[in-house]
Structure formats: C-alpha cells, structure tokens
Amino acid sequence: MNAINNVVLRATLSASNMSHDKISEYGIRTINHPMNFTQKQMNIEILRQGVVSILHSISIIFALSFVPASFTLYLIEERVSHSKHLLLVSGVNRLIFWIEEFIWDIVAYTISAFLCILIFVMFNEESYISPTNLPGVILLFLLYGWSCIPLMYLLSYIFTIPSSAFVGLACGNMFIGIVTTVTTFVLGAFEDEELRAVHHVIKEVFLIFPHYCLGSGILDLAKNHLASASLLNLDIEYKSNIFEWNLLGKPLLCMFVLGNIFFLLNLAIEFGFFTWITHFSMGSAVEDSDGDEEDDVAAEKERIHRGDLAGDILVIKDLTKVYKYSQVPSVKRINVGVKEGECFGLLGINGAGKTTTFKMLTGATRVTSGDATVGGYSVVTNMSKVQSRLGYCPQFDALDPLLTPREHLILYGRIRNIPSFVLNKKVDLTIQQMGLGYYSNKLSGTLSGGNKRKLSAAIALIGSPPLIFLDEPTTGMDPKARRFLWTKIQDIVRNGTSVVLTSHSMEECQALCTRLTIMVNGQFKCIGSSQHLKNKYGAGYRIVIRCREDNVKTVKEFMKVTIKSSRLIEEHYNQLRYEIPEGKLSDIFRQLEQGKQRNILDDYSLSQTTLEEVFLRFASEQSNEPIRRRLNRPVFLKKCLSCCRGNKEE
Ligand SMILES: Nc1ncnc2c1ncn2[C@@H]1O[C@H](COP(=O)(O)OP(=O)(O)OP(=O)(O)O)[C@@H](O)[C@H]1O
C-alpha cells in the first residue's frame, strides 16, 4: 500500500517537471514494530518451540542409536569365531584389547557426532550452535558416546549373531531414548500435582539411561534458549550457565559416571570376575579317579605328585572340569608331564574331553579343580604368563574373515614380537611352505576349509613359542599339506619345542607322537609310546586268511588244531580274520606256510595289533551318559549366564 502511494506521489512530481534526483527525496517511509506477545500467545509459542525441540531430540536419538550398536558387529564376530581368544592366547593383554577397542570406537563415533552438529550449523539452529550452547551440545554428544559404547559392549554378550545384535541394540537404544524423553516431556506439560510428582521421580530414575540423558539435555538446552530469547523480546536480559546442575550438569555427570561403570563391568566380565564368584559359591568337589587305573597312568600320576618334573614344560596335575549344569566331569583328575622337545598325543573319541583340556590350558574356560603349569606358571593364577608361551591351533578356525592370510601372519608375528626386519621374510617363507602362495592376498573368509586349516596351523607355529597346542590340525588338509605339516612339527620338536596334539588319525599320532594317551570319559586310560601301547594293550597278532569258498570249514579246523590260541573274530564269504594273543612269530609263520602248502588256505597276511585296535578297545568304554545327564537349562537362563560369563565358557 505504501509502495503504491510512493509511486503515485513520484509520478505526480515527475509530471511537474521536477528533476529526477530531487524526486527520490520524496516518499513515505513505513516502519512495522510488532507488539509484544500476550501471555496466551507466549504460551502457544513456547509449546510450538517445545514440540520442535522434542522432534530435534528424537531425530538425534534416532541417528545416534545406530552408531554405538554397530560397534558390536565385529566384537561378536570375534568372540563367536574365537579369534579374540586366539589373540589373547598369542599374547594380547585383555586390558589393552578393551582400551584399544574403546579408543577406536570412540574416534569413529566422534566423526558421526560431529556430522550431526554440522547439520545444526547448516540449518543455523540457534538453540544448539549459539556460542553459549555449542560447547554444551558437543559435550552432550561426546559423553553419550562415552557411556553408550561400553553399554553396547556389555549387552553384546547376550548375542551370538552379529546382525541380530545390531538390529536388537539399535531398536533398543531408539526405544529407550524416545520413550523416556517423550514421557518426561509430556508429563511435564501437565499441571496436575500427582502427575508432576511422577514427572520429578522418573526424571531422576531415567538418568540411568545415557539415551535419556542425551534427549533431555538437548530438550532442556532448547527450552533454555527459547526462554532467554522470549525474555529478550521483553527487553529483559536473561543469562544462565548451561552447565549448571539442573540444566546440563546432571545429565553430563550421569553419562560420565555411567560410562565408567559400564566399562568396569565389562572388564569384570572379561577377567572372569563373575564366573570366579559362582565357581566358589557352587563348590567343585570331584571324587578321585575310578579305581581301575592302568599302571602306566598311575605311574605318571605318581611322578607328577612326587614332583619329579625335571625337563617338563607342561605339567598337568589333577586337572578337572565340570561344566555348569552338568552332573559329570568332562575332564576328571588327569595327570601328565610333557617334556621339552616332546610331541604328546591326546587320543579319544568325540566328547572324550580333549578340547576341554585345551580350553582349560589356554584360558578359554575356567579350571574346576587341580592345576596345570606351563614353564612354571599356573593356568589358574598366571594365565597371561602362560599365554605368552603358547601357540594354539583351535579345533575350529579362529580367523578374521576380513584379513588375508598374509595379514594374519603379520599380525600374529607382531604380537609374538618377531622383529620387523625378519617378519616379512618369515611370513613369505611360511606362506610358501604351507602352499598358501596363491591365496596369500585373498580374504581368509573366502578360503576353502583345508586352506583355513593350513593358515590356523601356520598361526600356531609363527614366532616359535616353546609350547604348541594343535587341536586336530590336519583335519581337511590335502595329503601334501598334511605331510608338510608333519615334517614341520617333527622339525620344531627336534629343535626343542613341545607339542600337544589331538587327532583322529592314528597314522598321524604314530608318525609324530613320542608318547600318547587315550582319553575316555574325561580320564586318561593309558599313557606311553605307540609301541608300548600296542605291546601292552594290543592282543598279539592279527591274521587275515583267504581260502576257497568250499574250504572255509577246513581252514577253521586247521586253525583250531595248529594255532590253539587263535580266536576267530570276523568272517566274510571266503575271508577269515583271527586274533592270536600270544606266540612266537616264526612258529606262526611256519604253521601258516604248512597250511598253504597243503592247499588249505590260498593266501594270508599277518600283522601286529594296530594302534587303532588299541584305541577302539578303550573307546568302547566311553559312555554317552554325560551328554544324557546334562540338564536342559531354560533359554533365558542360558542367555543370562552367557552375558555374565563373557567370553568364558562354563
Ligand atoms: N560349554 C559346554 N557346556 C557343557 N558341556 C560341555 C561344553 N563343552 C563341552 N561339553 C561336554 O564336555 C564333554 C567333552 O567335550 P570336548 O569338546 O572336550 O570333547 P572332545 O574330546 O574335544 O570331542 P571332539 O573330538 O568331538 O572335539 C562332552 O560331553 C561335551 O558334551
């Protein structure tokens, strides 16, 4: 309207031949000054701004729910694949592991948090980026990461599938953050006395959630900014310290304290504090071994108890493991000493207790009773010292799928303190010897089962630790790689390294082990060299006879008469299999040759009892009772336990 008036005025002046410069001096200037808000308008405006602020809080909680949850992906993968355990066994300090994990995650989180702040800057959100409020916003974001990341570490123990953990934890973060913040905001808007009382209580209780601290902090900051802006409209200057107790002071302090508590709880789980408490509260009495102990087992036990341990790098004394909620021990009072430069074999059928023994010796599970020492250090009291002396090839490949074989070997070589000037050469040599050259730069997640096994064995050997545990190292390997590994094991044993090996291949045990034991139901049934075991527990010789179909009866008669101690153990069509417990080898040959000359038998073979037969004899004693007697724990209890025990199995 004013502009039209000015146009009319200047057109009239122009018609009266006034100079152009002068015309611009004439005109009407209008100034619009809004009236101050009424009380009602003010309330509506505050409510409108409040709703905008709660939307900001929700958006921030939403964005920052995903980032901390994503840090559990790798953590769970490492725990479930046991690659974390392998790192610890190779000498990584548990405390350093978690500090490094936290530093890495907090740096990644800080980048995301600063991107959120950048969005505020781009949209010029005065409530958050004004010089007085910006430091508060930065601190709120950083302390949220400080407290929420260790909380995610704690909750990650509940999960075994990384993707489920990510979805579950991100949704949980969002749910808690949004529900707590919106609830307190809505309750705060009511005038009712009772609701106000509830509002005050839950505002304090919700401070145990970092998500609420962040949401309420953002909201309070925006409300405070709105109040000072509104008062400024009334020409009243209102300045407040945003770090005061009732504004940001309380949530900031709570997040700082919560972060410390969550991190310490996580360390307590990592160091087995809770399993330690339950271990002592549940008791661990296991009666002595069964009376029918073989004399070589008893002799070894006697040697260990006597303390005659000269030259033994590994000493196992009455080592026992009873898993929680299992009524029978998985490993029961075993005793053995392994000398420097000795390869000791642990044989036993599935479920005999071999892996459990390794788990106790490497710190993956707690010892129920008894002890074992490596180089004089106890696995019960000084596991970190024990671990620094171990190489371990677990039963299932504990590899990081995102690292290549070369990167794995460099990583473990560095952990084992191989000087950097020889490390690359050593790694190249190992890769070439293990036949991994073609795959050395491929992700280990894409390797075949056999190649993964080769890599696991190479990791155990790199750095030449004095004691190496190999849990079925050659399973799935091709014959060439298997032969190479055998040669390699023989070499390192010759050079003074001790090896404890489990295998289901009798051929492997005979080729490598200086002494071996057969485990049945968690107990050692015999100990000695393979020849000693065959002599002692083998039933003499085996004869396989082939004859004409119509001659079977005659052969049976012949054997009954000529080799009286023989016992028929198998009969298939024209093939008979006999066991001869005793007798001179030359006499047996002579008698069989006579039978052949008399055309009673066509053909025969004579052999000593094999280790496999000794093994089968003992293995037949293994009962599946332990498995049947294990109780069925409720699922929720299992999850609760897995959370409390962290990476320790019980
Ligand atoms: N985490 C566990 N909780 C309860 N019982 C377990 C646990 N792990 C193993 N066991 C039980 O302990 C016994 C010994 O198991 P272990 O894995 O040591 O046998 P193994 O000799 O290594 O068998 P395999 O040759 O199949 O590897 C089994 O009866 C098994 O069911």
Side-chain angles (χ1 to χ4, degrees), residues 257-506:
V257 174
L258 284 173
N260 289 316
I261 293 174
F262 293 148
F263 195 74
L264 287 176
L265 273 176
N266 186 45
L267 286 184
I269 291 176
E270 177 64 47
F271 283 94
F273 181 67
F274 297 108
T275 47
W276 185 73
I277 291 176
T278 48
H279 172 77
F280 283 101
S281 62
M282 288 180 78
S284 53
V286 172
E287 79 267 23
D288 205 348
S289 324
D290 300 340
D292 57 349
E293 211 167 54
E294 295 290 343
D295 47 8
D296 40 21
V297 178
E300 184 71 1
K301 178 176 168 183
E302 217 268 313
R303 180 176 81 85
I304 301 294
H305 281 243
R306 206 173 53 238
D308 179 10
L309 309 170
D312 285 354
I313 183 165
L314 171 68
V315 178
I316 298 178
K317 187 174 176 186
D318 290 335
L319 197 68
T320 301
K321 176 71 195 177
V322 187
Y323 284 105
K324 241 182 236 163
Y325 303 99
S326 176
Q327 292 178 331
V328 286
S330 296
V331 174
K332 189 175 174 189
R333 288 179 165 266
I334 55 170
N335 290 280
V336 72
V338 178
K339 301 232 173 289
E340 279 168 25
E342 177 177 11
C343 180
F344 186 79
L346 271 180
L347 290 181
I349 61 164
N350 301 128
K354 307 175 298 289
T355 302
T356 303
T357 306
F358 276 163
K359 281 185 180 171
M360 284 191 280
L361 295 176
T362 57
T365 190
R366 191 167 286 280
V367 171
T368 304
S369 67
D371 198 359
T373 57
V374 174
Y377 295 104
S378 158
V379 298
V380 177
T381 56
N382 217 340
M383 184 43 90
S384 57
K385 282 268 194 301
V386 169
Q387 287 177 334
S388 64
R389 284 159 175 76
L390 293 185
Y392 181 35
C393 170
Q395 188 175 14
F396 301 106
D397 303 302
L399 303 173
D400 185 328
L402 300 178
L403 293 185
T404 63
R406 179 179 296 282
E407 286 163 345
H408 269 103
L409 293 173
I410 289 177
L411 171 70
Y412 284 94
R414 288 211 176 119
I415 293 172
R416 296 218 174 102
N417 290 327
I418 299 180
S420 42
F421 61 93
V422 286
L423 182 60
N424 279 337
K425 266 192 196 156
K426 260 192 186 270
V427 167
D428 285 342
L429 190 68
T430 313
I431 285 175
Q432 181 221 324
Q433 287 177 329
M434 281 289 185
L436 286 170
Y438 177 72
Y439 308 98
S440 64
N441 292 317
K442 292 196 184 313
L443 293 183
S444 63
T446 63
L447 298 183
S448 68
N451 284 330
K452 281 186 185 164
R453 211 71 202 120
K454 288 182 198 172
L455 180 56
S456 296
I459 289 172
L461 301 184
I462 200 159
S464 314
L467 176 62
I468 298 176
F469 294 136
L470 301 172
D471 200 349
E472 300 177 25
T474 54
T475 308
M477 270 190 199
D478 59 69
K480 192 173 156 223
R482 189 182 312 147
R483 295 283 156 179
F484 165 73
L485 189 62
W486 289 7
T487 318
K488 184 87 188 160
I489 292 171
Q490 279 162 341
D491 284 349
I492 59 170
V493 167
R494 234 172 273 129
N495 291 335
T497 302
S498 309
V499 173
V500 181
L501 171 96
T502 75
S503 176
H504 289 297
S505 155
M506 302 298 138

Side-chain angles (χ1 to χ4, degrees), residues 155-223:
L155 297 176
S156 72
Y157 289 119
I158 300 172
F159 297 91
T160 49
I161 303 170
S163 52
S164 317
F166 176 64
V167 174
L169 292 176
C171 292
N173 288 343
M174 260 187 298
F175 181 78
I176 293 173
I178 293 171
V179 166
T180 52
T181 311
V182 172
T183 310
T184 46
F185 176 77
V186 172
L187 281 177
F190 288 106
E191 296 294 330
D192 185 275
E193 278 303 311
E194 271 181 32
L195 287 178
R196 283 209 159 269
V198 174
H199 174 234
H200 283 303
V201 173
I202 62 168
K203 256 179 88 164
E204 304 301 319
V205 173
F206 284 163
L207 285 170
I208 57 166
F209 298 115
H211 326 79
Y212 170 74
C213 296
L214 173 71
S216 69
I218 293 283
L219 203 58
D220 289 346
L221 210 56
K223 278 200 250 167

Side-chain angles (χ1 to χ4, degrees), residues 591-645:
Q591 285 153 341
L592 289 170
E593 274 303 309
Q594 279 172 5
K596 201 171 169 191
Q597 277 158 18
R598 285 162 55 195
N599 269 343
I600 298 174
L601 36 120
D602 289 353
D603 186 352
Y604 67 86
S605 69
L606 177 65
S607 65
Q608 201 185 22
T609 309
T610 59
L611 186 59
E612 187 161 319
E613 281 157 345
V614 177
F615 174 80
L616 289 175
R617 186 194 135 183
F618 283 111
S620 62
E621 294 174 22
Q622 169 107 12
S623 76
N624 286 329
E625 197 61 4
I627 299 161
R628 270 187 265 124
R629 280 164 67 184
R630 281 179 61 200
L631 298 179
N632 272 335
R633 287 177 262 167
V635 172
F636 77 89
L637 186 58
K638 278 186 195 167
K639 293 208 164 172
C640 175
L641 280 167
S642 74
C643 172
C644 289
R645 71 186 171 223

